[in-house]
Amino acid sequence: MKTEIASDVLLDVQNANVRFDVGGGQIRALDDVTIQLKRGEALAVVGESGCGKTTLARVVLGLQTTTSGAVTLDGQPVVSPKAGQAKRVGMVWQDPFASIEPLWKIRRILDEPFRLNGMTGDIEKIMNEVGLDPKLADRFPHELSGGQRQRAAIGRAIALRPPLIICDEPTAALDLSIQAQILNLLKDIQRDTGCSLLYISHDLLTVRYLCDRIAVMYMGQVVETGPTEDVFTNPRHPYTKSLLESAPSLETLGQLPNPVEGEIPDPKVVFTGCKFASRCPKATEHCKSHPAPWDERGSHPVLCHFPLDSAT
Ligand SMILES: Nc1ncnc2c1ncn2[C@@H]1O[C@H](COP(=O)(O)OP(=O)(O)O)[C@@H](O)[C@H]1O
Ligand SMILES: [Mg+2]
């Protein structure tokens, strides 16, 4: 039944567009982005720097208005951040200081979501949940390690048990050994609370570990989306394939990844054809002059004239 399907979807982003007017033109930070996240599901959004990942997070939080499109969270349209927002979505940024107030003690930081909603929180319980020694409650964020600070930020995000947690590159600023701990923590939290996770990253290895589905973004567009294993083993978009080939493997972990061949075009460029054509080994004249269409024929959808698994 239609209503049942609708209630299964926690986050629904339909044809979202975000444009920024900058000197010399316009940046299409989100270009007709459609994604859906089901309850309890972990969706990864991956792509190189500048492809629109943070803009997407800001749209879902109501911090960034769209020029067109519709965003619904838990059945309600997202317009701007409103009272009670922390009950609907918890946010963890790459820099913990962006998620938590640097001049407050941990106790106050973790209590704030409760206070704003007229509730009293069990701070010790939250600290235990995120693996922070409750003895640290009276410390300031700068007195904690980077990993501990990110645990505090996660504690703040999950305090009110929102159905959705968004993490924007939550481990990018952390040491490798700490990254694994934070990933495990996020995985445990998702399992224990049943929340959905929108996990933004350029690190494909962590995504494979954590997420059920993946959406690959390039220059403001989602170019491929599907179940994680399917996308990893059968990438249909040439960009996804290069991203996978450039990602560190377990053997090369800790080394800098090889960048995808070629340069990302100036984001102000107005395209007539496929946005990836200038970097694509398979691009034809047709690709350069015609926008890429969604191809739904293979195992999962891809925005490409000539998907890698097609006969042509
Ligand atoms: N407030 C802004 N004003 C102008 N351009 C912006 C603004 N925010 C983001 N952009 C541009 O939008 C594009 C997407 O940025 P962003 O969402 O931060 O990408 P990502 O998080 O994937 O690195 C980039 O070209 C970026 O420079
Ligand atoms: Mg970003």
Side-chain angles (χ1 to χ4, degrees):
M1 249 165 57
K2 220 175 179 179
T3 46
E4 278 174 4
I5 294 167
S7 67
D8 198 28
V9 174
L10 176 70
L11 172 67
D12 193 6
V13 179
Q14 290 290 336
N15 307 100
N17 285 282
V18 171
R19 296 176 188 195
F20 293 114
D21 288 314
V22 291
Q26 210 177 41
I27 294 177
R28 301 193 70 162
L30 292 188
D31 185 358
D32 209 26
V33 166
T34 293
I35 56 160
Q36 282 191 332
L37 181 53
K38 293 203 180 106
R39 286 178 199 280
E41 187 179 50
L43 171 70
V45 175
V46 301
E48 288 161 295
S49 180
C51 71
K53 305 183 295 295
T54 297
T55 303
L56 176 62
R58 289 175 51 82
V59 163
V60 175
L61 292 166
L63 296 171
Q64 172 66 54
T65 51
T66 50
T67 27
S68 62
V71 184
T72 321
L73 175 59
D74 213 359
Q76 293 174 44
V78 173
V79 192
S80 58
K82 48 184 167 196
Q85 176 84 335
K87 281 186 185 163
R88 301 205 297 155
V89 51
M91 184 68 214
V92 180
W93 299 102
Q94 171 177 332
D95 172 9
F97 286 119
S99 316
I100 60 180
E101 171 59 61
L103 299 176
W104 290 354
K105 289 180 178 172
I106 300 303
R107 182 188 306 286
R108 169 99 196 266
I109 289 168
L110 295 179
D111 190 49
E112 185 68 358
F114 294 103
R115 202 184 60 80
L116 286 175
N117 287 279
M119 300 155 76
T120 311
D122 185 342
I123 304 305
E124 194 163 312
K125 179 164 165 261
I126 298 177
M127 292 187 77
N128 282 324
E129 276 172 350
V130 297
L132 271 183
D133 186 341
K135 285 193 199 113
L136 298 174
D138 290 308
R139 300 273 182 89
F140 289 100
H142 72 265
E143 297 176 299
L144 270 51
S145 70
Q148 287 171 331
R149 266 197 297 278
Q150 201 55 301
R151 287 177 190 272
I154 293 169
R156 187 186 191 284
I158 65 165
L160 299 183
R161 292 285 183 271
L164 174 64
I165 308 281
I166 305 179
C167 299
D168 190 353
E169 315 244 11
T171 66
L174 301 173
D175 289 346
L176 215 54
S177 58
I178 311 293
Q179 289 187 13
Q181 295 176 12
I182 296 294
L183 280 180
N184 280 324
L185 174 63
L186 289 170
K187 198 164 185 143
D188 290 349
I189 285 172
Q190 207 221 343
R191 186 197 54 214
D192 296 345
T193 69
C195 68
S196 304
L197 188 63
L198 185 64
Y199 187 81
I200 293 172
S201 180
H202 59 263
D203 178 359
L204 286 151
L205 206 60
T206 57
V207 159
R208 190 169 195 173
Y209 173 71
L210 202 59
C211 296
D212 309 303
R213 282 196 309 124
I214 181 168
V216 180
M217 285 188 71
Y218 185 73
M219 296 200 75
Q221 292 179 312
V222 173
V223 296
E224 176 159 15
T225 178
T228 305
E229 271 316 300
D230 200 19
V231 173
F232 267 82
T233 50
N234 175 33
R236 302 189 66 215
H237 199 290
Y239 176 61
T240 308
K241 185 158 182 278
S242 344
L243 258 193
L244 289 171
E245 283 165 0
S246 70
S249 63
L250 282 174
E251 292 76 42
T252 59
L253 202 63
Q255 296 173 16
L256 281 176
N258 302 313
V260 173
E261 291 267 322
E263 299 231 340
I264 306 176
D266 181 335
K268 295 190 292 292
V269 167
V270 179
F271 288 86
T272 45
C274 169
K275 291 186 174 185
F276 189 59
S278 65
R279 299 170 84 186
C280 181
K282 288 192 79 181
T284 64
E285 284 310 313
H286 181 76
C287 299
K288 289 173 191 161
S289 52
H290 295 76
W294 278 104
D295 182 305
E296 312 265 355
R297 287 172 297 180
S299 58
H300 56 268
V302 65
L303 190 72
C304 183
H305 288 287
F306 304 111
L308 294 169
D309 57 352
S310 65
T312 42

